[in-house]
Amino acid sequence: QAVVVETIPMEPGNYQSSVQVMGTVIPDTQILLKSKVSGEVVSISPKFVLGRLMNEGEVLLTLDTSDYKIEVLKARSALDKALSDLAIEEGSQLIAKEELKLIEQADFGKITATDLALRKPQLVQAKAAIDSARADLERAELNLSRTKVVVPFNALILEKQVNLGSLVTTQGTIATLVGVDTYRVEALVPPDRLPAVIVDETAGSRALIYSQYSEQPWQGRVVRTTGKMTSKSRMAGVIISVKDPLGLKRQGNNPQLLLDDHVDVQILGEMLENVFSIPRGILRDGNTIWVYTSGVLEIRP
């Protein structure tokens, strides 16, 4: 029976293969920021608000320094006392040596000078007291410097737990910070498509990330796999690294990649040379196509 068909002229060419998958945006670096010392919050950065960006090294908040300044003064006084005790002990050691000489001259005999007679243990004890006092001073000064809580990396304020006047403890969380230099997209890839994906920290397959709220895609790279299959869908997890996800280093009005966003991912595979690109709709039963050449209709796999 005659069938009416539409023909499409085909020419071979070079085409970029790709894998279309879904993924979820997750942070590459996320920490619960805690203070190393306790105290009352006496000042707070105006940038310390939910959703605000802060640069590495910026002061997030400052704790009351009164107690820690007192500890520094006490430690410095203890060090001064230890230094003076060492000077006195060194003088006592010289006196002990002179006394032994006088005793030898009076008795006209040789006297064995023991370490205790020369006060050597006392000198070692005095030097050890100085080392201990210096360590206490360094610890006091370190605790004083820790009253300023700084941002450890370029971060986004995800959660804020303290305000001005809050009492901060060493076990309490100050904020939840997310690094903004790199985000990750965890995508699920069918196992039979994994051979088309190059997984490498530096030379992994390029990936384009698309979101519903932006027409401009983000670029990433497949750096590693999750090392496991999902229990329900039996898909393999791959990790895509996205540099500068918020567009802070690019000029212009760049969209920001949002955490926990469900995105479409196009992982670019190898370049296919001298092949035909055909629409999926012209596939027939059994993955065959109809080819019309020189007046003859061929059914090819």
Side-chain angles (χ1 to χ4, degrees), residues 74-134:
K74 291 173 62 177
R76 189 171 288 121
S77 298
L79 177 59
D80 292 339
K81 182 179 182 302
L83 290 172
S84 64
D85 290 343
L86 176 62
I88 294 173
E89 186 56 42
E90 288 175 342
S92 299
Q93 193 176 52
L94 292 176
I95 293 174
K97 290 180 180 180
E98 294 297 327
E99 288 178 347
L100 285 175
K101 290 181 180 179
L102 293 176
I103 293 174
E104 289 180 355
Q105 293 175 358
D107 294 342
F108 302 99
K110 184 69 176 178
I111 298 177
T112 303
T114 63
D115 290 345
L116 188 60
L118 294 176
R119 299 184 64 86
K120 289 184 178 180
Q122 291 88 333
L123 184 62
V124 173
Q125 185 178 19
K127 291 181 178 179
I130 291 177
D131 294 337
S132 178
R134 281 203 178 102

Side-chain angles (χ1 to χ4, degrees), residues 82-272:
L83 290 172
S84 64
D85 290 343
L86 176 62
I88 294 173
E89 186 56 42
E90 288 175 342
S92 299
Q93 193 176 52
L94 292 176
I95 293 174
K97 290 180 180 180
E98 294 297 327
E99 288 178 347
L100 285 175
K101 290 181 180 179
L102 293 176
I103 293 174
E104 289 180 355
Q105 293 175 358
D107 294 342
F108 302 99
K110 184 69 176 178
I111 298 177
T112 303
T114 63
D115 290 345
L116 188 60
L118 294 176
R119 299 184 64 86
K120 289 184 178 180
Q122 291 88 333
L123 184 62
V124 173
Q125 185 178 19
K127 291 181 178 179
I130 291 177
D131 294 337
S132 178
R134 281 203 178 102
D136 291 340
L137 178 59
E138 290 179 2
R139 183 172 60 248
E141 291 176 341
L142 184 61
N143 289 335
L144 178 60
S145 67
R146 286 172 174 172
T147 56
K148 289 186 177 181
V149 180
V150 299
V151 180
F153 47 78
N154 298 329
L156 170 71
I157 310 297
L158 204 60
E159 293 181 3
K160 175 183 176 182
Q161 275 80 21
V162 298
N163 285 295
L164 192 64
S166 298
L167 182 61
V168 174
T169 63
T170 55
Q171 299 298 323
T173 301
I174 296 176
T176 302
L177 304 182
V178 171
V180 297
D181 293 333
T182 305
Y183 280 179
R184 289 184 294 161
V185 175
E186 185 172 339
L188 300 178
V189 178
D192 59 340
R193 303 307 305 273
L194 275 179
V197 179
I198 301 174
V199 180
D200 189 84
E201 289 288 344
T202 56
S205 297
R206 288 198 310 116
L208 300 178
I209 295 95
Y210 298 88
S211 178
Q212 295 181 354
Y213 67 88
S214 175
E215 296 180 355
Q216 181 178 348
W218 294 267
Q219 295 194 17
R221 192 170 294 278
V222 180
V223 293
R224 56 188 173 272
T225 65
T226 59
K228 64 179 181 179
M229 302 272 287
T230 57
S231 58
K232 294 182 179 180
S233 60
R234 307 306 297 171
M235 305 277 271
V238 297
I239 301 298
I240 300 169
S241 177
V242 183
K243 301 293 185 182
D244 192 22
L246 304 185
L248 302 178
K249 300 178 181 179
R250 299 190 300 269
Q251 296 181 353
N253 187 16
N254 298 293
Q256 296 185 350
L257 194 59
L258 299 180
L259 293 171
D260 297 329
D261 187 16
H262 296 285
V263 293
D264 296 319
V265 181
Q266 182 184 13
I267 301 176
L268 304 179
E270 61 178 333
M271 180 65 70
L272 304 177

Side-chain angles (χ1 to χ4, degrees), residues 39-84:
E40 180 185 357
V41 179
V42 294
S43 68
I44 197 166
S45 171
K47 294 183 179 180
F48 187 22
V49 292
L50 186 65
R52 191 70 181 269
L53 299 175
M54 296 192 69
N55 297 324
E56 178 182 357
E58 285 190 283
V59 178
L60 195 68
L61 55 84
T62 304
L63 304 179
D64 185 15
T65 60
S66 302
D67 294 338
Y68 299 101
K69 288 181 178 178
I70 293 174
E71 292 298 324
V72 170
L73 291 175
K74 291 173 62 177
R76 189 171 288 121
S77 298
L79 177 59
D80 292 339
K81 182 179 182 302
L83 290 172
S84 64

